[in-house]
């Protein structure tokens, strides 16, 4: 950002909105003034939402998006990680379209005692001491993003590549990272429905991250069915621990290895993906991956014994099988319906202030391409009661499409985009 | 509006915004819910401004615009004119781009004692008794328009044909009119800068007015120079009285006759424009036009003697000529610069709460195509003091462009658009 002109006065807000509306390019100083004014409450929400809609239609150049990202990063605390030695790398996934089915934090909180809230000082200390921390966004990180996202959510302006880019990157840059690997999920159940949209977002984040002098890679990954077999908070955590023990479902292992290998490469701890994968496999084989997980859990107040003894995680009282009504091959699994089944069991939220049940969820027993005989178990529901099991069963049956022949397998990692300096 | 579905529930506002954003057509019931919610304060301004921006980009069908117009009309009082016999006709001009140079109400208020504010009851009574009233918009007429316009004004969403259409027509329909003649001014100094934009607005208003079962015509009229010779409130009122006496500048007479003839035609008081013009000429010749003006002024508290003795209007203490610096023919007069000259003298407002001086202004002595010798008077300034005269002189000189030869004359009334039932 060599062209910063913070000292110059900028045009009134309506003129800036009209400039963007008419396809003009906003100057970094203009974008900074907009973000600062909005964060300070001087620019009302009705102007910001009109601007967001104009951006939706007119898009932004990488330079505009970078200026927006940096201005949003600078709206709050920017963590100073200089006391921590070595490269700082983070990973982000664009996740599902369905907002409330339980996020990463919910899965971590399924570990008894685990705390995801932490002061900035404690965060920096933990990363310095054990090399990793898994935390939620603190209120002082990119407050402009929080306000703008809440506004976009109710004004039809979520689906804008530059606004999504700035939202994701501003928070990550505020953490003090050197590098970032982005997992852009593609599919009907994902936030990005088409390869075209996913590629546009991946390109935008890599380009803007590079403009912000970070090493950024983005992977387009298929979300044509739920990843792994487990759906639900403790069940997914347990499945993740399986991977650390050298087990776990094939697709989950494949994606985890691909993302982690790219993180190692960006951190310059491996020169090639092959070298990175060797290191990762060794870390699983020699137990250091499990040890790192136990260290993190212990540092964040959780019970580290869960890693090797996952029965210590919350468990639902009953397991109810969902049986196939007829024979065939699994042609499709609607991730959204599966998510709704999990919600019905109590694993997600319909309102943001709702408590979730960490124990409930489901385990898929058949995935894309699997052969199914009539009465085979398609999935196991981990439930509290009959009533929710009944609704979830219907959802699971609705999610599965069976056909005579199995579909062709598509690769999980569709493509990887890397920045010039990555 | 045969498809009104007011009883049906409509989708949440973010979905309606997204529907319009994606190019969908909003149902009348959806538009009604939006306008009602906004007027009641249930729909926040940030959603309405985002919707307005989506409408700016996606436009509206005539049916959507009609639904918006009727919903805005119904947001306040709809005057019942049924007690008044005969057709009720109004005229509207889209006017200038420059907001504060003094509007129709300011010119009327230059008449000593004249009041433009009136209750709805008094308005209906006066129209019934003397056939005409010249009033400002009351607060209970189309409050949704007032709120929406204030919002559009600061969110870059003024220049949208369906929103302008609904703004103009909702107020006029709320007056209880049967017919409307619209004067859409075209030119660099006008609200509509290009013939294309002006035609789009004219078509939209005629079409939507027709859908609302009113007889509506729209005239595109050239605003390539100020209309008439007078600029300033009392000066323009005096010039209008000149027209009622059979005098007045040629272009002002031409436009007034064209608009008034179309009003008579829509009111079915004349079958052809020629017949209408004969009636108008007769009304001027036999003094009935002047008498009508005196009746209106008297009914609204003003001094009716001003019509025949315009020296009773406020007059500036000094007249200062602006002289041509060189010889030539007038190739252009920048209406915006002339407006700014008039503002500098005190005839307009820079803030909405400012008082204006009815007496000051200027009289153009040369118009487009006129030959000018060096030192000829281009315009006369009617001023209070030397300081403002100096600024206005510079503005007037900047407004005039002289060339070797005169430009070709373009017609004042460019075209007339009429509804099918008009």
């Amino acid at each position: 950002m060599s062209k910063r002109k913070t000292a110059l006065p900028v045009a009134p807000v309506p003129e800036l909105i009209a400039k963007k509306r008419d396809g003009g390019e906003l100057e970094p100083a203009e974008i900074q003034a907009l973000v600062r004014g909005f964060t300070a409450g001087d620019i009302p929400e009705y102007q910001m939402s009109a601007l967001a809609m104009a951006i939706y239609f007119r898009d932004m150049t990488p330079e505009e998006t970078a200026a927006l990202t940096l201005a949003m990063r600078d709206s709050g605390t920017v963590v100073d990680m200089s006391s921590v030695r070595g490269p700082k790398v983070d990973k982000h996934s664009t996740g599902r379209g369905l907002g409330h089915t339980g996020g990463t934090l919910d899965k971590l909180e399924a570990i008894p005692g685990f705390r995801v809230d932490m002061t900035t000082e404690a965060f920096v200390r933990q990363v310095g001491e054990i090399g990793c921390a898994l935390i939620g966004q603190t209120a002082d990180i990119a407050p402009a993003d929080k306000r703008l996202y809440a506004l976009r959510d109710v004004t039809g302006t979520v689906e804008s590549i530059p606004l999504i880019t700035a939202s994701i990157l501003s928070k990550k840059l505020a953490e003090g990272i050197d590098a970032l690997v982005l997992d852009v999920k593609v599919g009907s159940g994902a936030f990005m429905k088409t390869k075209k949209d996913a590629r546009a977002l991946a390109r935008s984040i890599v380009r803007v991250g590079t403009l912000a002098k970070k090493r950024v890679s983005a992977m387009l990954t298929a979300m044509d069915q739920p990843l792994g077999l487990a759906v639900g908070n403790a069940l997914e955590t347990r499945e993740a621990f399986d991977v650390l023990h050298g087990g776990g479902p094939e697709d989950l292992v494949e994606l985890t290895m691909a993302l982690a290998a790219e993180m190692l490469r960006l951190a310059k701890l491996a020169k090639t993906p092959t070298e990175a994968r060797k290191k990762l496999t060794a870390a699983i084989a020699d137990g250091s991956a499990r040890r790192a997980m136990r260290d993190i859990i212990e540092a964040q107040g959780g019970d580290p014994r869960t890693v090797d003894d996952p029965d210590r995680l919350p468990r639902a009282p009953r397991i109810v099988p969902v049986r196939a009504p007829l024979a065939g091959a699994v042609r499709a699994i609607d991730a959204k319906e599966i998510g709704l089944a999990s919600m019905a069991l109590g694993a997600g939220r319909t309102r943001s202030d709702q408590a979730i049940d960490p124990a409930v969820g489901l385990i898929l027993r058949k995935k894309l391409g699997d052969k199914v005989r009539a009465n085979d178990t398609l999935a196991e529901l981990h439930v509290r009661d009959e009533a929710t099991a009944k609704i979830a069963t219907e959802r699971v049956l609705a999610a599965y499409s069976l056909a005579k022949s199995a579909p062709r397998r598509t690769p999980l990692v569709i493509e990887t985009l890397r920045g010039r300096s990555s």
Side-chain angles (χ1 to χ4, degrees), chain A:
Chain A
M1 300 288 86
S2 58
K3 283 201 295 180
R4 285 177 81 162
K5 294 177 189 168
T6 46
L8 291 182
V10 300
V13 177
E15 287 177 33
L16 298 180
I17 298 171
K19 185 179 181 183
K20 176 43 69 184
R21 181 198 71 192
D22 296 341
E25 184 173 346
L26 296 172
E27 297 288 327
E30 292 172 337
I31 291 169
Q32 283 161 25
L34 286 165
V35 172
R36 280 181 198 162
F38 180 61
T39 310
D42 298 331
I43 295 177
E45 291 175 317
Y46 54 76
Q47 290 185 323
M48 213 60 184
S49 64
L51 178 67
M53 188 60 87
I55 291 170
Y56 176 92
F57 279 100
R58 290 296 194 178
D59 210 343
M60 280 183 135
T61 65
E63 288 72 23
E64 284 178 296
T65 312
L68 180 62
T69 303
L70 296 186
M72 278 165 54
R73 175 197 69 184
D74 295 339
S75 68
T77 302
V78 179
V79 178
D80 179 4
M81 276 281 182
S82 59
S83 67
V84 178
R85 293 174 60 164
K88 272 71 72 178
V89 192
D90 199 359
K91 173 251 163 194
H92 181 81
S93 166
T94 57
R96 283 186 281 261
L98 208 62
H100 304 298
T101 52
T104 305
L105 300 181
D106 294 318
K107 297 173 208 326
L108 289 166
E109 284 179 333
I111 302 166
F114 196 95
R115 299 279 308 263
V116 297
D117 54 328
M118 200 181 286
T119 63
T120 300
E121 293 71 33
F123 169 65
V124 174
R125 199 179 330 118
Q126 180 174 328
V127 174
E129 282 171 11
I130 64 171
C132 187
L134 299 171
I135 66 164
Q137 190 187 345
T138 57
D140 54 346
I141 292 283
D145 171 63
K146 196 164 280 179
R147 286 199 62 192
L148 184 56
Y149 192 86
L151 185 61
R152 286 166 56 209
D153 199 31
V154 293
T155 56
T157 50
V158 167
E159 299 92 340
S160 158
I161 298 292
L163 296 180
I164 298 168
T165 300
S167 176
I168 293 173
L169 268 186
S170 63
K171 288 177 286 199
K172 294 295 173 187
L173 295 182
E175 284 174 1
I177 57 164
D178 301 307
L180 176 71
V181 174
L182 188 77
D183 173 18
V184 185
K185 301 204 178 292
V186 191
S188 62
F191 183 46
M192 295 284 119
K193 310 286 181 215
T194 66
K195 228 180 268 187
K196 184 169 166 270
D197 286 349
R199 196 174 285 131
L201 178 61
R203 271 203 193 121
S204 173
I205 291 199
V206 168
R207 199 176 288 168
V208 172
T210 306
L211 280 174
K213 310 229 186 307
K214 305 297 170 193
R215 297 191 296 281
V216 179
S217 297
M219 288 180 177
L220 266 55
T221 69
M223 207 197 190
D224 49 358
Q225 62 177 339
L227 185 69
L229 301 172
V231 180
N233 299 294
L235 292 172
E236 288 180 56
T237 300
R238 185 178 186 128
E239 191 173 63
F241 292 166
D242 285 349
V243 176
L244 296 179
H245 283 85
E250 194 189 342
D251 60 347
L252 180 61
V253 172
E254 184 186 340
L255 183 65
T256 307
M257 294 295 272
L259 292 169
E262 189 65 18
M263 288 174 83
L264 285 188
R265 221 186 54 77
L266 290 188
K268 298 184 178 166
L269 298 173
K271 282 209 177 93
T272 63
T274 313
E275 188 193 339
R277 276 166 189 267
K278 267 189 198 161
K279 286 197 168 195
L280 293 168
T281 309
I284 289 171
D286 68 11
S288 55
R290 292 195 296 282
R291 191 165 56 245
M293 191 72 230
R294 285 194 300 266
D295 288 348
I296 295 167
I297 293 173
E298 188 150 29
Q300 296 189 223
D303 181 353
R305 294 172 299 176
T306 51
V307 175
D308 300 304
D309 183 6
D311 282 349
R312 290 176 180 273
L313 292 169
R315 287 198 290 168
R318 297 187 48 194
I319 296 178
V320 177
V322 178
R323 297 196 188 278
L326 40 81
V330 180
R331 193 178 57 81
I333 305 174
D334 185 332
K336 191 179 170 185
E337 282 292 338
I338 295 293
L340 290 171
S342 169
M343 296 262 294
L345 295 174
R349 293 179 183 85
T350 51
R351 284 204 333 258
S352 62
D353 56 351
Q354 229 164 9
I356 59 168
D357 186 342
V360 299
L362 53 105
I363 305 284
L364 306 179
R365 288 298 172 206
K366 300 289 179 185
K367 297 222 13 181
L368 275 195
D370 287 350
K371 294 237 163 83
V372 176
R373 288 165 307 178
N375 224 31
D376 271 2
T377 299
L378 290 174
E380 286 168 10
L381 308 180
H382 290 238
V383 305
R384 291 258 172 231
D385 56 67
E386 277 297 329
T388 56
K390 196 151 174 275
I391 302 168
T393 297
E394 280 167 23
R395 290 272 186 204
V396 168
L397 289 173
Y400 275 86
S401 303
L402 300 180
K404 274 189 185 156
S405 59
R408 251 203 322 191
R409 284 291 300 271
T410 50
L412 185 60
V413 176
I414 300 165
E415 61 189 63
T416 304
L417 289 91
R418 297 193 172 96
R420 220 174 290 170
S421 60
S422 313

